[in-house]
Amino acid sequence: MVSIKNKIGFGGLVILILFPLFGCTSARKRDQQNNLYQVLKARDYQTIEYFDQRYRSGNIYLDYGTALTLDVIFKDLDYRKKFLAEVSKFYYLAPKSQLKIWQEEQENYQNNFEFLLFVYGGNNRKLNLQKKSSEWKIFLKDDEGDLIRPGYIKKLKKDEREILFLGKYFYQLDRWSEVYRVKFPKLDKSQEKSNSPMTLIISGIRGKSSLIWKDSSIFYQHEKPENRLDNRRIDLLN
């Protein structure tokens, strides 16, 4: 399991900014533990710091080849607020529309652990994680040690707004990857976080990868009063 801080130092950041990326990403390039952050459009250190809290990656190898590459972003309240800010700004959403969306986002966060998965199986192999017949299964081991199965898996199209939003932070998301929205129900919605990690697991006959968040605080956030939205003024960009 890899976080961005483990993969990008100052020199790596310079390389990411200056290194020209042309053509397609090959399976061989993705054999390295670089994954999504190999093509990060690094604006500044704050961008790296922000996604480091939410991003994890891993690979599953079989016979010295890559069976699966996995990049994951957890959608906490702050991420959801940033996404809504971008949508509101460029689609000129009315305050009432913004408030309605934000209320839905908060409800979704309180009821589910939601992730965005970028997965690549090599040789353009279709993964179809949303189907029961998929060779790969996804689980979440929460901070109480309970193993949770997803209640919702949807394969996203590359032109969906959230993918376009992430494209502002990542230079040309790998077009070979499949993108999924995955939700796990929160078993105890009133539960406060413990000191134990959260672990996202993807497993199949050909191997398993466990992505660990040692600090589980972003999974149990409460909205700060100063950040609440109202009908008079919705300032999400500060």
Side-chain angles (χ1 to χ4, degrees):
M1 181 276 297
V2 180
S3 69
I4 187 170
K5 281 184 178 177
N6 293 332
K7 293 185 291 184
I8 299 179
F10 178 77
L13 176 60
V14 173
I15 293 173
L16 284 172
I17 296 174
L18 299 179
F19 186 74
L21 295 170
F22 301 103
C24 304
T25 301
S26 68
R28 174 52 53 188
K29 289 180 182 178
R30 292 194 64 98
D31 283 350
Q32 306 302 318
Q33 286 272 58
N34 292 321
N35 297 6
L36 198 102
Y37 276 90
Q38 183 181 15
V39 290
L40 173 66
K41 182 194 289 184
R43 295 181 176 179
D44 48 38
Y45 183 77
Q46 285 71 29
T47 298
I48 296 175
E49 182 76 18
Y50 174 77
F51 277 102
D52 184 72
Q53 300 174 41
R54 296 155 180 86
Y55 166 82
R56 296 293 184 271
S57 74
N59 294 296
I60 297 175
Y61 297 103
L62 181 66
D63 296 332
Y64 303 102
T66 304
L68 191 75
T69 294
L70 176 67
D71 297 282
V72 177
I73 294 174
F74 175 69
K75 295 179 59 174
D76 67 328
L77 283 176
D78 192 49
Y79 171 91
R80 294 168 188 268
K81 194 181 293 288
K82 287 181 182 294
F83 173 59
L84 177 55
E86 292 293 298
V87 172
S88 300
K89 177 180 178 181
F90 292 104
Y91 292 99
Y92 298 96
L93 296 185
K96 287 186 178 180
S97 296
Q98 296 180 48
L99 182 61
K100 181 177 183 295
I101 295 173
W102 180 238
Q103 290 171 339
E104 292 172 351
E105 289 290 345
Q106 289 184 93
E107 182 178 355
N108 188 12
Y109 177 83
Q110 297 303 325
N111 293 331
N112 301 281
F113 300 112
E114 183 174 345
F115 300 83
L116 289 176
L117 273 64
F118 298 79
V119 290
Y120 173 73
N123 299 322
N124 292 329
R125 185 182 185 130
K126 298 298 181 182
L127 299 173
N128 296 319
L129 297 182
Q130 77 281 14
K131 296 183 178 181
K132 292 183 179 179
S133 59
S134 174
E135 69 168 300
W136 300 106
K137 301 300 178 184
I138 311 167
F139 307 92
L140 181 68
K141 185 177 181 181
D142 70 11
D143 54 334
E144 294 296 319
D146 293 315
L147 195 65
I148 311 171
R149 295 178 183 272
Y152 176 95
I153 302 177
K154 180 184 178 182
K155 186 176 181 179
L156 303 183
K157 297 179 180 179
K158 297 299 178 68
D159 60 353
E160 294 200 28
R161 287 181 178 179
E162 194 157 10
I163 307 305
L164 299 176
F165 164 71
L166 287 171
K168 299 186 70 172
Y169 293 92
F170 302 94
Y171 181 87
Q172 191 176 348
L173 295 181
D174 188 345
R175 67 179 187 176
W176 300 114
S177 294
E178 296 178 13
V179 186
Y180 294 87
R181 177 176 290 117
V182 182
K183 299 180 184 180
F184 299 87
K186 288 188 176 180
L187 300 181
D188 185 354
K189 300 170 190 175
S190 62
Q191 172 184 322
E192 296 294 330
K193 76 179 185 69
S194 71
N195 294 323
S196 300
M198 303 283 287
T199 305
L200 186 72
I201 302 167
I202 185 163
S203 182
I205 296 296
R206 296 193 290 157
K208 181 176 76 171
S209 181
S210 298
L211 312 183
I212 301 172
W213 283 261
K214 292 183 178 180
D215 180 2
S216 61
S217 60
I218 64 171
F219 291 85
Y220 299 102
Q221 293 173 332
H222 298 285
E223 189 183 19
K224 297 177 182 179
E226 63 269 23
N227 291 335
R228 288 177 183 160
L229 310 185
D230 56 45
N231 287 314
R232 300 185 304 277
R233 181 173 181 267
I234 298 181
D235 187 1
L236 296 168
L237 301 178
N238 294 327

